[in-house]
Amino acid sequence: MCPLRRRDKSIDDNRDTGIVIIGTGFSGLGMAIQLKRSGIHDFVILEKADDVGGTWRDNTYPGCACDIRSNLYSFSYAQNPDWSRRYAGSKEIWDYLRGCADKYGIRRHVRFGAEFTGATFDEETLRWTVHTVGAGSYTARAVVAGVGVLHIPSIPELPGIERFEGRRFHSAEWDHGHDLTGRKVAVIGTGASAIQFVPRIAERVGSLTVFQRTPPWILPKPDRETSRWERLMYRVVPFTQRLRRVARFLIYDARALGFAINPKLMKVLSKPAARHLEHQVPDPQLRAKLTPTYTMGCKRVLISNDFYPALARPNVELVTDAIAEVREHSIVTAAGDEHEVDTIIYGTGFHVSDALYHLAITGRDGRDLTEEWRTRGARTYLGITVSGFPNLFFLLGPNTGLGHNSVVLMIEAQTRYVLRCLAALARRDVDAIDVRSVAQNRFDREIHAKLRKGVWNVGGCRSWYLDPEGVNRTVWPGFVWQYLRRTNKVILDDYELLKAKRPRVAARSGA
Ligand code: NAP
């Protein structure tokens, strides 16, 4: 019998467990659900907040929504016939995740208020000791990190910001207690988050100054409410929803032809985006400021019907000069223009390439993961395993993000892959698997050869897809179906199989 198939009677005080999962966003919950569905109950999930939901719990800014259709931005095994719109809002997605946690009995495995700080691998027992702030430590056979990379706000150090006497906050830490009605608001950034909240606040504020560094490519958003008959059809004949999901998957995945294979094909998408801009922004001066000069796809492609019209409002100004200085009640640009503001909202995105560097993960021979990734780049095998760190699995790890399709598909592929690895441990009667460095290097070379041709690298822009050295450690350079195929089986020759020298000793430490 699989050693991980112990029943979950004692999970409430189980500090010696089969698997520790970190995070309860789509990744962490997806892993937990897959374990449950496979009859594996011996796991603990660490969550630093007080509820499940990850980014969809944390991002509460007005207008927050997903720009991937909900039929596809959801688990294949937990389709929701009741999505209210084609593109659900953040609250509805969060409710969906909470519903999944309840449906599959995940909450009883979650330690809320437990912030993962690092993990240490014991080469005698081949087990991990996982450290937290708030919940002590746990020992586990395997660790699955579903921590994501879009959660540490990136806040620019603007000269003079310490003198500013108004309120300032980041889009992911929205201050709902700060009423924006009638205020003089500055928004910095015009990325995926800003283009969603700018239209929502533009009507309420007294004045809105939007500071844009680089114009995004924006396509029309073909959003609408789902009709009653559609929802009924999905409920009565679930196959119809599945069919739409598959069709949408294929349409989205075809876009990899432009993103990853031949960026010249991005013209097929940039033409309707240019038409959208022309149609929504008749003022040639404003339109010129909003016209991107890089190839579409180099930065995330956005969808919106109300961002451009919001910028054309009489109380809204788009500023493209760099910010030179912040004063007590104003922002001054490099051109010398002073804009009076009492609130600054940062729509400036997240720390991505260094998002995992605060974690202290020590593998075989005392190897420090952060140190290795910092000095040699975040190298992995399939974005999931890392040589020298046995039984440590990443979900949405390096080079498995997407700009053209739903990341939930990647997460599902990865959680299935983890299950296959765990099954291989049991089948081969070993305790750990460690990917061989030769296999990892081969994978690294392969994807970076592909990335060199991708739009993110040749599109003529600078984006958070690239690390400070200009290396793309973020996106998967191909079709999603290729990744599904690659992860469909575990090539055990690529792994070293390890057997513990010392048997498992149950840990009994308190919180
Ligand atoms: P983002 O896409 O990284 O955009 C940040 C914006 O801030 C950019 O316009 C950037 O300009 C600007 N900026 C950054 N530093 C600046 C500085 N020092 N001075 C002036 N401008 C500065 O961040 P985000 O909008 O929060 O979105 C992050 C990611 O979250 C997205 O790409 C997406 O993957 C995800 N997201 C997804 C959805 C969804 O619907 N699925 C919704 C929201 C967010 P530059 O372009 O010049 O760097």
Side-chain angles (χ1 to χ4, degrees):
M1 184 173 110
C2 172
L4 298 166
R5 273 179 206 251
R6 283 192 299 149
R7 287 302 307 177
D8 53 350
K9 272 188 210 140
S10 60
I11 46 177
D12 288 344
D13 61 351
N14 192 2
R15 299 206 153 257
D16 182 44
T17 184
I19 303 157
V20 166
I21 300 169
I22 303 147
T24 61
F26 263 101
S27 296
L29 281 183
M31 186 72 249
I33 294 168
Q34 292 283 38
L35 290 171
K36 284 285 210 188
R37 293 175 79 224
S38 309
I40 299 172
H41 307 275
D42 184 17
F43 66 92
V44 167
I45 314 180
L46 305 176
E47 169 55 62
K48 64 175 189 260
D50 60 3
D51 201 350
V52 302
T55 194
W56 300 107
R57 174 200 60 223
D58 295 341
N59 280 273
T60 60
Y61 61 78
C64 184
C66 185
D67 55 15
I68 295 288
R69 294 202 193 192
S70 302
N71 278 343
L72 200 57
Y73 195 79
S74 43
F75 295 122
S76 61
Y77 45 80
Q79 286 292 283
N80 173 18
D82 295 321
W83 292 119
S84 66
R85 312 190 64 81
R86 268 188 182 164
Y87 298 87
S90 60
K91 173 71 170 55
E92 195 170 357
I93 301 172
W94 185 27
D95 285 344
Y96 167 78
L97 286 175
R98 289 196 286 190
C100 286
D102 292 335
K103 178 177 169 188
Y104 291 96
I106 304 300
R107 282 181 194 272
R108 57 191 303 248
H109 293 264
V110 185
R111 302 292 169 273
F112 292 107
E115 183 174 0
F116 173 72
T117 55
T120 312
F121 188 68
D122 182 328
E123 295 190 57
E124 293 285 311
T125 59
L126 300 186
R127 294 179 68 77
W128 286 95
T129 300
V130 178
H131 315 287
T132 75
V133 167
S137 57
Y138 292 82
T139 57
R141 172 65 67 221
V143 176
V144 182
V147 289
V149 289
L150 294 171
H151 59 96
I152 304 172
S154 169
I155 296 180
E157 288 171 20
L158 302 173
I161 189 69
E162 65 290 345
R163 282 192 287 159
F164 183 62
E165 289 184 2
R167 182 80 185 94
R168 55 187 205 259
F169 55 86
H170 188 273
S171 62
E173 295 166 343
W174 197 270
D175 183 352
H176 291 279
H178 184 70
D179 185 4
L180 294 174
T181 311
R183 291 197 186 269
K184 301 184 185 78
V185 178
V187 168
I188 302 176
T190 51
S193 303
I195 68 139
Q196 291 182 336
F197 68 74
V198 160
R200 296 302 175 95
I201 64 172
E203 299 162 359
R204 262 190 296 146
V205 299
S207 68
L208 179 58
T209 314
V210 179
F211 290 88
Q212 172 187 272
R213 195 163 63 177
T214 318
W217 280 102
I218 303 179
L219 281 165
K221 184 173 184 179
D223 195 16
R224 62 165 173 78
E225 285 182 6
T226 46
S227 63
R228 280 219 327 258
W229 76 261
E230 260 176 318
R231 295 188 217 175
L232 185 69
M233 181 177 75
Y234 290 161
R235 195 169 277 287
V236 178
V237 195
F239 170 72
T240 54
Q241 190 173 23
R242 199 158 286 277
L243 206 61
R244 280 204 161 157
R245 182 183 156 92
V246 171
R248 182 48 48 187
F249 164 74
L250 295 172
I251 293 167
Y252 279 148
D253 218 28
R255 299 199 291 182
L257 277 170
F259 278 81
I261 313 291
N262 182 359
K264 285 190 185 138
L265 295 174
M266 290 308 294
K267 282 209 179 91
V268 176
L269 283 178
S270 61
K271 276 192 183 149
R275 275 201 301 274
H276 186 48
L277 173 63
E278 199 172 325
H279 175 69
Q280 290 205 315
V281 184
D283 173 2
Q285 277 179 340
L286 181 58
R287 202 191 310 147
K289 286 180 175 180
L290 289 165
T291 304
T293 54
Y294 55 90
T295 309
M296 186 186 212
C298 185
K299 288 172 182 281
R300 189 176 174 92
V301 178
L302 310 182
I303 52 171
S304 171
N305 298 334
D306 50 11
F307 178 63
Y308 290 145
L311 295 181
R313 290 177 61 90
N315 65 334
V316 179
E317 184 181 1
L318 180 72
V319 175
T320 52
D321 295 318
I323 294 172
E325 186 194 355
V326 181
R327 296 185 183 156
E328 285 80 358
H329 304 286
S330 64
I331 294 181
V332 183
T333 67
D337 297 328
E338 184 164 7
H339 300 269
E340 214 184 314
V341 297
D342 57 31
T343 305
I344 296 176
I345 305 174
Y346 297 103
T348 43
F350 301 89
H351 286 275
V352 178
S353 59
D354 54 352
L356 303 173
Y357 287 2
H358 63 291
L359 303 176
I361 299 179
T362 309
R364 295 171 84 179
D365 306 320
R367 287 167 63 174
D368 179 339
L369 185 69
T370 301
E371 189 54 28
E372 291 198 7
W373 280 8
R374 210 193 284 274
T375 54
R376 300 178 51 222
R379 288 158 201 262
T380 67
Y381 178 74
L382 296 172
I384 303 175
T385 51
V386 186
S387 181
F389 299 83
N391 288 1
L392 172 64
F393 303 95
F394 283 92
L395 304 177
L396 281 191
N399 291 111
T400 62
L402 296 176
H404 74 283
N405 208 331
S406 169
V407 289
V408 181
L409 300 162
M410 302 296 272
I411 292 168
E412 280 196 33
Q414 292 166 344
T415 54
R416 285 193 300 266
Y417 187 86
V418 175
L419 284 182
R420 289 191 185 101
C421 289
L422 298 176
L425 292 182
R427 208 171 51 245
R428 296 293 185 103
D429 190 28
V430 293
D431 298 298
I433 55 169
D434 185 12
V435 67
R436 296 179 192 277
S437 59
V438 64
Q440 179 171 290
N441 291 341
R442 195 175 59 228
F443 176 75
D444 199 62
R445 277 196 305 275
E446 179 200 328
I447 52 165
H448 287 287
K450 287 185 180 160
L451 279 164
R452 274 193 281 281
K453 294 184 291 174
V455 69
W456 318 278
N457 290 44
V458 303
C461 80
R462 176 89 209 172
S463 75
W464 58 259
Y465 293 138
L466 311 180
D467 71 10
E469 280 71 49
V471 182
N472 191 329
R473 301 274 175 202
T474 314
V475 289
W476 169 249
F479 297 94
V480 171
W481 65 259
Q482 290 175 311
Y483 190 76
L484 301 183
R485 201 182 59 185
R486 286 288 286 269
T487 49
N488 202 25
K489 100 178 212 233
V490 179
I491 301 171
L492 277 178
D493 285 349
D494 285 345
Y495 285 90
E496 193 183 339
L497 307 183
L498 308 171
K499 186 94 182 143
K501 293 181 198 133
R502 212 154 40 81
R504 169 182 183 166
V505 179
R508 289 279 168 250
S509 63

